[in-house]
Amino acid sequence: MYGFIWRHLPGPRAVKALLAVLLLVAVFFLLMEVVYPWVSTLMPYNDVAV
């Protein structure tokens, strides 16, 4: 998977590294802002029975 992404990024090694870091940051923020809040609404945190 990572090799596939690395081969398809344009430019020399330094540009590829910068683009890979930017891609990782974008995925991180997408997860934090969209995916995790949506999943947290589905989790039964308040349904505690002891």
Side-chain angles (χ1 to χ4, degrees), residues 1-2 4 7-8 10-13 16-17 21-24 31-33 38-39 41 45-46 49-50:
M1 178 72 178
Y2 298 115
F4 174 80
R7 283 190 305 273
H8 286 84
R13 185 175 298 230
K16 285 184 179 189
V21 169
L22 290 175
L23 187 63
L24 287 173
L31 287 173
M32 287 298 177
E33 295 294 324
W38 172 72
V39 170
T41 61
Y45 294 126
N46 295 328
V50 178

Side-chain angles (χ1 to χ4, degrees), residues 14-48:
V15 174
K16 285 184 179 189
L18 180 64
L19 289 174
V21 169
L22 290 175
L23 187 63
L24 287 173
V25 168
V27 168
F28 172 78
F29 280 113
L30 177 71
L31 287 173
M32 287 298 177
E33 295 294 324
V34 178
V35 176
Y36 293 153
W38 172 72
V39 170
S40 73
T41 61
L42 302 175
M43 299 303 285
Y45 294 126
N46 295 328
D47 298 335
V48 178

